[in-house]
Amino acid sequence: MRNYIIADNQELTRFALESLLQKDEANVVYRAFDKAGLVALLKKHESAVVLLDYTLFDFTDEDQLLIIAERFNLSDWILISDELTSQFIRRVVYSSHQFSVVFKDAPMSEVKEALKAAGHHSRYLSQRALEFIITQQQEEEKPDILTQTEAEIVKAIAQGKTTKEIAAERFSSIHTVNTHRKNIFRKLGINTAHELIKYALRAGLIESSEFYI
């Protein structure tokens, strides 16, 4: 037997999910209409599967959602919505393995896969959710967060050039190049040249045949 909590204030979706879940007579389905009601049900059924439309519920932000999920760490969550941003999906998915993600316009097969996964304490991410995560990652890795000079220095470092060589090529001092290097590492949140090369490859600053091994 598995307990399910439907936290969706769209009546048609709620009815459809209840009908789907009640095909298995062993399932017990509850309804929550706000965050307080959801927490109250989770206190009674800590290992329940929560089917949530985040955009129609009274969460202030994703931090509140993550705090509740962490508090009830035996629970599994299926986020079902029309309008989840790529930033939100990535934050939630990277923060906790409790969350599956499908969209309301997805085929029924995806919803069933998500329910099956949650029933085994596993995670299911629809193809669209995965594409959102990849898109967000690519946007964050675009080289335009660096100045043109910094991007050129990243490329030179990835090609294996020394600070002295880079300074000579740019008619700059070694001190200036080192300052750029520190700023680059700070902006990218990295600590090693190896991480810098990985960034340069992902951001398209260099081809795989160009970097220094």
Side-chain angles (χ1 to χ4, degrees), residues 31-91:
R31 291 182 180 184
F33 297 95
D34 55 30
K35 184 177 62 181
L38 175 58
V39 170
L41 283 169
L42 282 169
K43 286 180 179 178
K44 296 178 181 177
H45 312 286
E46 293 187 352
S47 61
V49 177
V50 180
L51 293 89
L52 170 71
D53 187 335
Y54 173 83
T55 61
L56 297 181
F57 237 60
D58 59 337
F59 286 100
T60 304
D61 52 32
E62 61 262 34
D63 286 330
Q64 282 192 344
L65 174 62
L66 291 169
I67 287 169
I68 292 175
E70 183 178 2
R71 178 181 175 187
F72 301 101
N73 57 18
L74 297 179
S75 62
D76 294 283
W77 298 66
I78 302 175
L79 301 179
I80 305 178
S81 181
D82 286 323
E83 300 176 354
L84 296 175
T85 66
S86 55
Q87 184 176 2
F88 171 86
I89 293 173
R90 191 177 182 207
R91 169 83 192 283

Side-chain angles (χ1 to χ4, degrees), residues 157-200:
I157 294 172
Q159 290 172 332
K161 294 178 181 177
T162 66
T163 301
K164 185 176 179 180
E165 289 171 334
I166 296 169
E169 287 182 357
R170 303 189 63 81
F171 303 101
S172 300
S173 69
I174 292 176
H175 172 74
T176 298
V177 174
N178 278 332
T179 299
H180 282 306
R181 182 186 175 102
K182 289 178 183 178
N183 289 336
I184 290 165
F185 277 49
R186 175 181 54 79
K187 283 184 177 182
L188 300 181
I190 60 177
N191 299 292
T192 67
H194 179 68
E195 291 175 303
L196 186 70
I197 292 170
K198 288 170 64 178
Y199 167 82

Side-chain angles (χ1 to χ4, degrees), residues 86-125:
S86 55
Q87 184 176 2
F88 171 86
I89 293 173
R90 191 177 182 207
R91 169 83 192 283
V92 171
V93 167
Y94 282 13
S95 297
S96 173
H97 288 279
Q98 293 169 260
F99 291 95
S100 296
V101 182
V102 294
F103 290 85
K104 285 189 174 178
D105 61 355
M108 183 61 69
S109 59
E110 288 193 353
V111 178
K112 290 179 177 179
E113 284 294 325
L115 288 169
K116 182 179 178 180
H120 292 88
H121 299 288
S122 299
R123 178 162 72 184
Y124 176 83
L125 300 177

Side-chain angles (χ1 to χ4, degrees), residues 133-149:
I133 292 170
I134 292 169
T135 299
Q136 175 69 16
Q137 182 174 340
Q138 289 174 339
E139 287 176 354
E140 290 181 359
E141 292 171 349
K142 286 180 180 177
D144 58 9
I145 67 171
L146 303 176
T147 66
Q148 183 177 347
T149 296

